[in-house]
Each structure stands twice: as C-alpha cells, then as structure tokens.
Amino acid sequence: MNRRMIALLGGVAAMAGTVAFAGTAEAASTPCSAEAKACVQRSSNTAWLTDGAGNVTYGGVPITVGLPKYPTPVGKFHVQYKDIDHYSKQYNGPMPYSVFFTTTGVAFHQGSLKVKSHGCVHLSRAAAVKFYTSLNPGDVVEVVP
C-alpha cells in the first residue's frame, strides 16, 4: 500500500510540474518583437504586456479588435498619451482607461469583449487598468495579424 501511495503521489507531482512548466513556457513569449511593451495579435484576439526585452509581464488576455470596416491597424506604434476617463465624441461613448497608440485615435481601453470596435482594442476592466498603469508615452506597441 505504501509503494502504491508513493507512486501515485510521485505521478501527481510530476504532472503538476509539467502543467506549471507548460503554463510558464506558454506565457514566456509573444508574436511581437522583444522591444514591444504591448503586443496585440488580432487573429487570436489576445494581448500581452512585456518588459520591453521580450519577457511577458501580463497576459495573454482576451481582447476584441476593430470591425472589418474599421480594422485595428497592423504595425509598430508608440503610446501617444493616456486618458483615464476619455469620452469619444465621434462614437458617443465612454472609453475608460484609454491608452492611445496611434495618431488617428486608436487606443487600448475598457470595452465589450463581445462587440468589435471602430479600430480600438477592447479589454476587460481589470486588463484595461493594468495596461493603463503599465504603459507610458513613447512605449512601443505592436499589432500583428
């Protein structure tokens, strides 16, 4: 009975180690360059924050991006400015925890994860707060297909 219990516990410990390692390995990289402090992958509706040296510090988190008619642009950008309580006059709606990263008004902000935007990256409230507090003007943002 003791040998069976030891074998069972050993198997559970090995499996737990594998699961922890797999989760760590998955979170260790993004599809963006190492310099990106924020990475968006449109095809998987996922975003990450990094330390600017390629190491993930937060995410991947679920996002929604722009409608086909208003796609979130692909490329390398820099954070322009932040507005904790932005209100869009153009689209007549609140954009809490906005981090603008294009010169055309595209931002990370709190928004529906079920509704596509007019080009912005929608985040849950918790993720929007984290992106808002982590990113600063000048930080590199990359959006990949």
Side-chain angles (χ1 to χ4, degrees), residues 31-144:
C32 296
S33 70
E35 71 176 331
K37 291 283 296 244
C39 175
V40 173
Q41 186 176 46
R42 294 187 328 181
S43 62
S44 67
N45 289 313
T46 306
W48 299 262
L49 291 172
T50 76
D51 61 4
N55 302 303
V56 173
T57 58
Y58 183 73
V61 295
I63 61 168
T64 54
V65 294
L67 294 158
K69 185 175 179 179
Y70 304 100
T72 303
V74 171
K76 178 179 164 182
F77 308 94
H78 292 88
V79 172
Q80 302 295 306
Y81 68 99
K82 304 187 317 183
D83 185 350
I84 198 165
D85 195 25
H86 188 77
Y87 189 88
S88 171
K89 292 177 185 170
Q90 183 176 3
Y91 297 108
N92 193 30
M95 295 170 53
Y97 304 102
S98 290
V99 178
F100 291 89
F101 60 89
T102 73
T103 57
T104 58
V106 176
F108 293 107
H109 65 84
Q110 178 183 338
S112 172
L113 295 178
K114 295 181 179 175
V115 178
K116 291 189 176 268
S117 71
H118 287 90
C120 287
V121 178
H122 286 174
L123 299 159
S124 70
R125 183 182 190 286
V129 168
K130 184 69 172 175
F131 274 61
Y132 184 86
T133 59
S134 299
L135 295 170
N136 294 300
D139 285 345
V140 175
V141 174
E142 282 188 40
V143 180
V144 298

